[in-house]
Amino acid sequence: MILGALLIGLTGTAWAQRAVDNPDWKEIEVPPPPAFDVGKLITFDVSPNASLVYGVDPAALRISSSDGVVRYVMVATSASGATNVMYEGIRCATAEFKTYARYTPDGQWRAVANAEWRSLFSGAASRHALQFAKAGACENAAPPSSVPEIISRLQGQN
């Protein structure tokens, strides 16, 4: 709860100022998207008026010790049951996220062409990633120490 309150108060500028500037940072070769199970999603609130329910499969969460990126499979589900599934990463140190791939209706992952890091504070397209960061994927400007810690924080939000 306290973490959420602290992160809510951080603006994009404040978050970036907290980041450790590392000009030598390099993203690892991104692993392929992990398997996911929509029946095991931990959901979290994105906004009170959201028409979609967002969740992550805890078994698909990863924290890279090499580059500090939290990678996950995000599932957005509409009231009619339609889903949009994305393989993404959050770089807590810079308050950025990247969509690596999208899951297609025919059950295949399609890589996002020219995937780039975008600010968590860039607007509606980043709202789910920002709320995921606030709900547990980031501990201020750093990833949590473990995947079970992320899961515990997410479950505490419900």
Side-chain angles (χ1 to χ4, degrees), residues 39-57:
K40 295 184 178 178
L41 299 178
I42 299 174
T43 60
F44 58 94
D45 291 329
V46 171
S47 82
N49 302 322
S51 60
L52 299 172
V53 174
Y54 289 87
V56 294
D57 179 349

PDB file of all heavy atoms in Angstrom, residues 39-57:
ATOM      1  N   GLY A  39      -6.225 -18.746 -17.322  1.00  0.00           N
ATOM      2  CA  GLY A  39      -6.983 -19.180 -16.162  1.00  0.00           C
ATOM      3  C   GLY A  39      -6.280 -18.901 -14.842  1.00  0.00           C
ATOM      4  O   GLY A  39      -6.874 -19.054 -13.781  1.00  0.00           O
ATOM      5  N   LYS A  40      -5.017 -18.488 -14.901  1.00  0.00           N
ATOM      6  CA  LYS A  40      -4.246 -18.252 -13.669  1.00  0.00           C
ATOM      7  C   LYS A  40      -3.815 -16.801 -13.504  1.00  0.00           C
ATOM      8  O   LYS A  40      -2.917 -16.497 -12.739  1.00  0.00           O
ATOM      9  CB  LYS A  40      -3.023 -19.158 -13.660  1.00  0.00           C
ATOM     10  CG  LYS A  40      -3.394 -20.623 -13.598  1.00  0.00           C
ATOM     11  CD  LYS A  40      -2.200 -21.514 -13.491  1.00  0.00           C
ATOM     12  CE  LYS A  40      -2.670 -22.956 -13.378  1.00  0.00           C
ATOM     13  NZ  LYS A  40      -1.547 -23.876 -13.313  1.00  0.00           N
ATOM     14  N   LEU A  41      -4.467 -15.897 -14.219  1.00  0.00           N
ATOM     15  CA  LEU A  41      -4.062 -14.495 -14.185  1.00  0.00           C
ATOM     16  C   LEU A  41      -4.278 -13.859 -12.816  1.00  0.00           C
ATOM     17  O   LEU A  41      -5.277 -14.123 -12.149  1.00  0.00           O
ATOM     18  CB  LEU A  41      -4.844 -13.686 -15.220  1.00  0.00           C
ATOM     19  CG  LEU A  41      -4.679 -14.080 -16.679  1.00  0.00           C
ATOM     20  CD1 LEU A  41      -5.574 -13.205 -17.560  1.00  0.00           C
ATOM     21  CD2 LEU A  41      -3.228 -13.972 -17.109  1.00  0.00           C
ATOM     22  N   ILE A  42      -3.337 -13.011 -12.436  1.00  0.00           N
ATOM     23  CA  ILE A  42      -3.533 -12.117 -11.297  1.00  0.00           C
ATOM     24  C   ILE A  42      -3.914 -10.782 -11.922  1.00  0.00           C
ATOM     25  O   ILE A  42      -3.139 -10.199 -12.678  1.00  0.00           O
ATOM     26  CB  ILE A  42      -2.258 -11.959 -10.448  1.00  0.00           C
ATOM     27  CG1 ILE A  42      -1.815 -13.304  -9.884  1.00  0.00           C
ATOM     28  CG2 ILE A  42      -2.504 -10.951  -9.322  1.00  0.00           C
ATOM     29  CD1 ILE A  42      -0.481 -13.236  -9.145  1.00  0.00           C
ATOM     30  N   THR A  43      -5.118 -10.330 -11.632  1.00  0.00           N
ATOM     31  CA  THR A  43      -5.593  -9.084 -12.228  1.00  0.00           C
ATOM     32  C   THR A  43      -5.271  -7.899 -11.323  1.00  0.00           C
ATOM     33  O   THR A  43      -5.004  -8.067 -10.131  1.00  0.00           O
ATOM     34  CB  THR A  43      -7.112  -9.136 -12.487  1.00  0.00           C
ATOM     35  OG1 THR A  43      -7.786  -9.339 -11.256  1.00  0.00           O
ATOM     36  CG2 THR A  43      -7.462 -10.252 -13.460  1.00  0.00           C
ATOM     37  N   PHE A  44      -5.275  -6.728 -11.918  1.00  0.00           N
ATOM     38  CA  PHE A  44      -5.021  -5.494 -11.172  1.00  0.00           C
ATOM     39  C   PHE A  44      -5.795  -4.368 -11.829  1.00  0.00           C
ATOM     40  O   PHE A  44      -6.165  -4.446 -12.994  1.00  0.00           O
ATOM     41  CB  PHE A  44      -3.518  -5.179 -11.091  1.00  0.00           C
ATOM     42  CG  PHE A  44      -2.852  -5.047 -12.421  1.00  0.00           C
ATOM     43  CD1 PHE A  44      -2.713  -3.800 -13.016  1.00  0.00           C
ATOM     44  CD2 PHE A  44      -2.388  -6.159 -13.094  1.00  0.00           C
ATOM     45  CE1 PHE A  44      -2.117  -3.672 -14.260  1.00  0.00           C
ATOM     46  CE2 PHE A  44      -1.777  -6.041 -14.333  1.00  0.00           C
ATOM     47  CZ  PHE A  44      -1.646  -4.795 -14.915  1.00  0.00           C
ATOM     48  N   ASP A  45      -6.054  -3.330 -11.044  1.00  0.00           N
ATOM     49  CA  ASP A  45      -6.820  -2.190 -11.535  1.00  0.00           C
ATOM     50  C   ASP A  45      -5.950  -1.283 -12.396  1.00  0.00           C
ATOM     51  O   ASP A  45      -4.816  -0.971 -12.018  1.00  0.00           O
ATOM     52  CB  ASP A  45      -7.384  -1.365 -10.373  1.00  0.00           C
ATOM     53  CG  ASP A  45      -8.459  -2.116  -9.620  1.00  0.00           C
ATOM     54  OD1 ASP A  45      -9.168  -2.928 -10.253  1.00  0.00           O
ATOM     55  OD2 ASP A  45      -8.591  -1.897  -8.402  1.00  0.00           O
ATOM     56  N   VAL A  46      -6.481  -0.872 -13.537  1.00  0.00           N
ATOM     57  CA  VAL A  46      -5.802   0.094 -14.390  1.00  0.00           C
ATOM     58  C   VAL A  46      -6.430   1.464 -14.229  1.00  0.00           C
ATOM     59  O   VAL A  46      -5.743   2.459 -14.098  1.00  0.00           O
ATOM     60  CB  VAL A  46      -5.798  -0.373 -15.862  1.00  0.00           C
ATOM     61  CG1 VAL A  46      -5.293   0.711 -16.788  1.00  0.00           C
ATOM     62  CG2 VAL A  46      -4.943  -1.625 -15.999  1.00  0.00           C
ATOM     63  N   SER A  47      -7.757   1.510 -14.232  1.00  0.00           N
ATOM     64  CA  SER A  47      -8.466   2.761 -13.937  1.00  0.00           C
ATOM     65  C   SER A  47      -9.897   2.391 -13.569  1.00  0.00           C
ATOM     66  O   SER A  47     -10.394   1.343 -13.986  1.00  0.00           O
ATOM     67  CB  SER A  47      -8.422   3.731 -15.112  1.00  0.00           C
ATOM     68  OG  SER A  47      -9.401   3.423 -16.062  1.00  0.00           O
ATOM     69  N   PRO A  48     -10.558   3.254 -12.807  1.00  0.00           N
ATOM     70  CA  PRO A  48     -11.930   2.943 -12.389  1.00  0.00           C
ATOM     71  C   PRO A  48     -12.895   2.789 -13.557  1.00  0.00           C
ATOM     72  O   PRO A  48     -13.866   2.068 -13.458  1.00  0.00           O
ATOM     73  CB  PRO A  48     -12.333   4.138 -11.523  1.00  0.00           C
ATOM     74  CG  PRO A  48     -11.088   4.873 -11.213  1.00  0.00           C
ATOM     75  CD  PRO A  48     -10.081   4.506 -12.245  1.00  0.00           C
ATOM     76  N   ASN A  49     -12.630   3.449 -14.662  1.00  0.00           N
ATOM     77  CA  ASN A  49     -13.533   3.408 -15.804  1.00  0.00           C
ATOM     78  C   ASN A  49     -13.049   2.495 -16.930  1.00  0.00           C
ATOM     79  O   ASN A  49     -13.564   2.562 -18.039  1.00  0.00           O
ATOM     80  CB  ASN A  49     -13.727   4.822 -16.351  1.00  0.00           C
ATOM     81  CG  ASN A  49     -14.279   5.758 -15.292  1.00  0.00           C
ATOM     82  OD1 ASN A  49     -15.104   5.369 -14.489  1.00  0.00           O
ATOM     83  ND2 ASN A  49     -13.798   6.988 -15.281  1.00  0.00           N
ATOM     84  N   ALA A  50     -12.053   1.671 -16.649  1.00  0.00           N
ATOM     85  CA  ALA A  50     -11.477   0.814 -17.692  1.00  0.00           C
ATOM     86  C   ALA A  50     -12.505  -0.193 -18.190  1.00  0.00           C
ATOM     87  O   ALA A  50     -13.242  -0.795 -17.410  1.00  0.00           O
ATOM     88  CB  ALA A  50     -10.254   0.087 -17.165  1.00  0.00           C
ATOM     89  N   SER A  51     -12.561  -0.353 -19.497  1.00  0.00           N
ATOM     90  CA  SER A  51     -13.477  -1.330 -20.085  1.00  0.00           C
ATOM     91  C   SER A  51     -12.801  -2.697 -20.223  1.00  0.00           C
ATOM     92  O   SER A  51     -13.448  -3.673 -20.562  1.00  0.00           O
ATOM     93  CB  SER A  51     -13.960  -0.843 -21.452  1.00  0.00           C
ATOM     94  OG  SER A  51     -12.855  -0.678 -22.321  1.00  0.00           O
ATOM     95  N   LEU A  52     -11.492  -2.749 -19.941  1.00  0.00           N
ATOM     96  CA  LEU A  52     -10.740  -3.996 -20.017  1.00  0.00           C
ATOM     97  C   LEU A  52     -10.257  -4.394 -18.628  1.00  0.00           C
ATOM     98  O   LEU A  52      -9.988  -3.537 -17.790  1.00  0.00           O
ATOM     99  CB  LEU A  52      -9.530  -3.832 -20.938  1.00  0.00           C
ATOM    100  CG  LEU A  52      -9.809  -3.478 -22.390  1.00  0.00           C
ATOM    101  CD1 LEU A  52      -8.507  -3.167 -23.129  1.00  0.00           C
ATOM    102  CD2 LEU A  52     -10.551  -4.604 -23.093  1.00  0.00           C
ATOM    103  N   VAL A  53     -10.135  -5.699 -18.425  1.00  0.00           N
ATOM    104  CA  VAL A  53      -9.541  -6.228 -17.204  1.00  0.00           C
ATOM    105  C   VAL A  53      -8.136  -6.696 -17.581  1.00  0.00           C
ATOM    106  O   VAL A  53      -7.968  -7.445 -18.543  1.00  0.00           O
ATOM    107  CB  VAL A  53     -10.377  -7.396 -16.640  1.00  0.00           C
ATOM    108  CG1 VAL A  53      -9.674  -8.037 -15.448  1.00  0.00           C
ATOM    109  CG2 VAL A  53     -11.763  -6.924 -16.264  1.00  0.00           C
ATOM    110  N   TYR A  54      -7.127  -6.243 -16.828  1.00  0.00           N
ATOM    111  CA  TYR A  54      -5.742  -6.583 -17.114  1.00  0.00           C
ATOM    112  C   TYR A  54      -5.215  -7.566 -16.085  1.00  0.00           C
ATOM    113  O   TYR A  54      -5.540  -7.467 -14.898  1.00  0.00           O
ATOM    114  CB  TYR A  54      -4.872  -5.326 -17.078  1.00  0.00           C
ATOM    115  CG  TYR A  54      -5.120  -4.404 -18.234  1.00  0.00           C
ATOM    116  CD1 TYR A  54      -6.121  -3.450 -18.188  1.00  0.00           C
ATOM    117  CD2 TYR A  54      -4.350  -4.500 -19.391  1.00  0.00           C
ATOM    118  CE1 TYR A  54      -6.359  -2.603 -19.260  1.00  0.00           C
ATOM    119  CE2 TYR A  54      -4.578  -3.649 -20.467  1.00  0.00           C
ATOM    120  CZ  TYR A  54      -5.583  -2.714 -20.390  1.00  0.00           C
ATOM    121  OH  TYR A  54      -5.816  -1.882 -21.451  1.00  0.00           O
ATOM    122  N   GLY A  55      -4.382  -8.485 -16.561  1.00  0.00           N
ATOM    123  CA  GLY A  55      -3.771  -9.439 -15.645  1.00  0.00           C
ATOM    124  C   GLY A  55      -2.499 -10.027 -16.222  1.00  0.00           C
ATOM    125  O   GLY A  55      -2.243  -9.936 -17.423  1.00  0.00           O
ATOM    126  N   VAL A  56      -1.700 -10.595 -15.323  1.00  0.00           N
ATOM    127  CA  VAL A  56      -0.474 -11.280 -15.719  1.00  0.00           C
ATOM    128  C   VAL A  56      -0.503 -12.691 -15.154  1.00  0.00           C
ATOM    129  O   VAL A  56      -1.052 -12.927 -14.073  1.00  0.00           O
ATOM    130  CB  VAL A  56       0.800 -10.541 -15.249  1.00  0.00           C
ATOM    131  CG1 VAL A  56       0.959  -9.206 -15.943  1.00  0.00           C
ATOM    132  CG2 VAL A  56       0.822 -10.367 -13.750  1.00  0.00           C
ATOM    133  N   ASP A  57       0.086 -13.626 -15.894  1.00  0.00           N
ATOM    134  CA  ASP A  57       0.228 -14.992 -15.413  1.00  0.00           C
ATOM    135  C   ASP A  57       1.489 -15.026 -14.561  1.00  0.00           C
ATOM    136  O   ASP A  57       2.584 -14.733 -15.059  1.00  0.00           O
ATOM    137  CB  ASP A  57       0.356 -15.942 -16.601  1.00  0.00           C
ATOM    138  CG  ASP A  57       0.526 -17.396 -16.183  1.00  0.00           C
ATOM    139  OD1 ASP A  57       0.754 -17.675 -14.984  1.00  0.00           O
ATOM    140  OD2 ASP A  57       0.450 -18.266 -17.067  1.00  0.00           O
TER     141      ASP A  57
END
